[in-house]
Amino acid sequence: MSCCKVPVLIEAQVEMVSANELENKSLFRQEEDATQTKEASLMEQGSLSTSFPQHTPKAPKNSVLNSIKIVIFCNKLNLLLPFGPLAILVHYMIDSKGWVFLLTLVGITPLAERLGYATEQLACYTGPTVGGLLNATFGNVTELIISIFALKNGMIRVVQLTLLGSILSNMLLVLGCAFFCGGLVFYQKDQVFDKGIATVNSGLLLMAVMGILFPAVLHYTHSEVHAGSSELALSRFSSCIMLIAYAAYLFYQLKSQSSSYSPLDEESNQNEETSAEDEDPEISKWEAIIWLSILTAWVSLLSGYLVDAIEGASVSWNIPIAFISTILLPIVGNAAEHAGAIMFAMKDKLDLSLGVAIGSSIQISMFAVPFCVVIGWMMGQEMDLNFQLFETAMLFITVIVVAFFLQEGSSNYFKGLMLILCYLIVAASFFVHEDPHQDGI
């Protein structure tokens, strides 16, 4: 009997051990499932976003000739670079303001695009936070340089009109071309973008309109406490507030809501994985810094000749200065944004197109405009936020129209065409508009 009981006991012990192993395995599986669900929830909240991996860029080791080849000779738009030196020669040999303005305008166009390229290359090494600040600073550096030179010469109206025209160009022309080209490529469907981000951007643009509108209202209602000084004091105070709001917006965009700025669809994640090689920089960090310095210095040099030739070009061409400042100059400064927004839209990346077009408008309205007011304050120039009634009304209506187009969270070629036609109406309005305050130019 004892011999018969022994194998039975052994079998019972083996079954108990296997049962314990099965329980342990099930516990381990439950723990693994729990950790996976926690990671998934954290990814959804943005704490462990897969869209922002710890990617360390590989710095290429380029020679001087190779770096020049990448930055200068690999872009067809750089065929316009010789127009810059040609403008300087025409200035000293012929002194024709119309030709100097035209040649300088054409010569600055590829420089603006290369500035955007060098900024993107440098942002690959600095991370998202510093990269966002770099894009805020250098993304519209052409407009800023032209504005600072005009401020130095006391041409306050040129500064105001140039910055206003850049906002209008980004919101109507750049965004309209992006919607139109993307809609033609994907004509069988409506392209979609994040409605929440578009709402935040529209709110910031309305805040910028508020900052520009109130000094104009204060001026035209003749309700200043101190005539001639209250308007300027309000503009300077509002500019400081707008700069603080823009800094808070950068923090909100890059830190608190970084997950909402990254696509969560599987297809977009696959596209990001396949394009990971494209995100690696083509030039090293110090090469990008050196090229930024060279391009900024060259833009600064040409901007001086451009600003000096504005009045002469207006007289020789019989074109209002308001049209030159609001339409022609911003088209050159927005060359990089224009190309980038269209390229992203044709790849069905509408969120990136909005980030380029509307984001650039926010940079100018919430950063460049108040920054120029503060810089003018330091220079002793009475630069204010009173853009006059016609220009302020144009900006207000444009922001309202764009906000209505963005509220649905979708786009097509018809919406793009409507925005382009709206920009043509704006351009025609400035062509027949005579600025009554040209004494500040």
Side-chain angles (χ1 to χ4, degrees):
M1 294 291 294
S2 60
C3 294
C4 295
K5 291 180 179 179
V6 170
V8 174
L9 292 173
I10 293 174
E11 290 178 359
Q13 291 178 357
V14 170
E15 290 177 356
M16 291 177 64
V17 171
S18 61
N20 290 329
E21 291 178 354
L22 290 173
E23 289 179 357
N24 292 330
K25 290 181 180 179
S26 63
L27 289 174
F28 286 135
R29 288 177 180 174
Q30 291 177 359
E31 291 178 357
E32 290 177 358
D33 294 337
T35 55
Q36 289 178 357
T37 54
K38 287 182 180 179
E39 290 178 357
S41 63
L42 288 173
M43 289 178 185
E44 291 178 355
Q45 296 174 359
S47 300
L48 291 175
S49 175
T50 57
S51 301
F52 292 96
Q54 296 289 336
H55 177 68
T56 56
K58 297 179 181 179
K61 296 180 180 179
N62 297 321
S63 61
V64 176
L65 294 177
N66 195 20
S67 179
I68 295 174
K69 178 182 177 182
I70 293 173
V71 178
I72 302 297
F73 295 105
C74 290
N75 187 18
K76 295 180 180 179
L77 191 62
N78 289 340
L79 293 173
L80 302 177
L81 283 176
F83 285 92
L86 184 60
I88 299 176
L89 290 176
V90 171
H91 173 77
Y92 288 105
M93 295 177 64
I94 305 177
D95 196 18
S96 176
K97 297 295 184 181
W99 281 106
V100 171
F101 179 83
L102 178 62
L103 294 174
T104 308
L105 202 67
V106 175
I108 288 180
T109 303
L111 296 176
E113 191 276 333
R114 289 291 88 183
L115 273 172
Y117 169 79
T119 305
E120 292 176 358
Q121 295 295 307
L122 183 59
C124 294
Y125 299 97
T126 57
T129 304
V130 181
L133 294 174
L134 285 173
N135 287 324
T137 305
F138 288 98
N140 298 291
V141 70
T142 306
E143 292 92 338
L144 281 175
I145 292 175
I146 294 175
S147 300
I148 291 173
F149 269 92
L151 266 179
K152 188 178 179 181
N153 295 338
M155 304 169 71
I156 295 176
R157 286 298 290 163
V158 171
V159 177
Q160 293 177 334
L161 294 174
T162 301
L163 295 177
L164 172 68
S166 187
I167 299 172
L168 299 176
S169 173
N170 277 300
M171 285 195 296
L172 294 177
L173 183 61
V174 176
L175 186 63
C177 289
F179 282 0
F180 183 73
C181 295
L184 289 181
V185 174
F186 301 95
Y187 64 93
Q188 296 179 349
K189 67 171 186 176
D190 281 353
Q191 294 180 290
V192 296
F193 51 85
D194 196 320
K195 191 188 301 184
I197 300 176
T199 303
V200 173
N201 293 340
S202 300
L204 275 172
L205 289 173
L206 286 173
M207 180 181 177
V209 171
M210 180 189 299
I212 295 174
L213 178 64
F214 287 170
V217 172
L218 186 67
H219 175 78
Y220 284 99
T221 55
H222 304 287
S223 57
E224 299 176 82
V225 176
H226 302 286
S229 60
S230 296
E231 175 188 338
L232 183 61
L234 176 62
S235 298
R236 290 171 176 174
F237 176 78
S238 300
S239 298
C240 296
I241 297 299
M242 291 165 70
L243 289 174
I244 294 173
Y246 183 73
Y249 164 71
L250 281 182
F251 181 82
Y252 172 82
Q253 181 184 14
L254 299 172
K255 290 292 185 180
S256 302
Q257 296 293 324
S258 60
S259 62
S260 63
Y261 286 81
S262 60
L264 297 177
D265 298 333
E266 293 181 358
E267 295 179 358
S268 59
N269 288 332
Q270 291 177 357
N271 292 331
E272 288 183 358
E273 290 177 359
T274 55
S275 62
E277 296 179 357
D278 296 336
E279 296 178 357
D280 288 331
E282 297 179 353
I283 57 178
S284 65
K285 180 173 68 174
W286 285 108
E287 286 178 282
I289 293 174
I290 293 172
W291 278 114
L292 271 177
S293 303
I294 295 173
L295 294 171
T296 303
W298 187 231
V299 170
S300 302
L301 179 63
L302 292 182
S303 298
Y305 293 97
L306 182 70
V307 171
D308 291 336
I310 287 179
E311 293 185 20
S314 175
V315 173
S316 61
W317 294 350
N318 196 19
I319 296 177
I321 294 181
F323 181 82
I324 293 177
S325 302
T326 312
I327 304 300
L328 297 182
L329 293 181
I331 289 178
V332 174
N334 295 330
E337 289 92 342
H338 208 151
I342 294 176
M343 179 187 66
F344 290 134
M346 295 178 69
K347 295 180 180 179
D348 202 14
K349 297 180 179 180
L350 257 295
D351 286 319
L352 294 178
S353 295
L354 282 176
V356 172
I358 303 299
S360 182
S361 299
I362 293 173
Q363 286 176 8
I364 297 168
S365 59
M366 297 292 293
F367 174 73
V369 172
F371 179 76
C372 286
V373 173
V374 175
I375 291 296
W377 190 2
M378 296 178 181
M379 291 181 177
Q381 301 286 346
E382 295 185 355
M383 166 81 181
D384 57 18
L385 294 178
N386 180 14
F387 281 35
Q388 307 306 323
L389 188 60
F390 179 82
E391 291 81 0
T392 305
M394 194 77 68
L395 176 63
F396 178 72
I397 295 173
T398 299
V399 172
I400 295 298
V401 168
V402 173
F404 272 107
F405 273 89
L406 296 180
Q407 66 178 353
E408 294 182 354
S410 63
S411 71
N412 49 54
Y413 67 89
F414 178 72
K415 288 184 177 181
L417 180 61
M418 291 298 102
L419 290 175
I420 295 173
L421 295 179
C422 288
Y423 185 75
L424 293 179
I425 295 175
V426 170
S429 301
F430 277 103
F431 188 80
V432 299
H433 171 62
E434 183 179 359
D435 191 4
H437 298 274
Q438 291 189 3
D439 55 344
I441 294 181

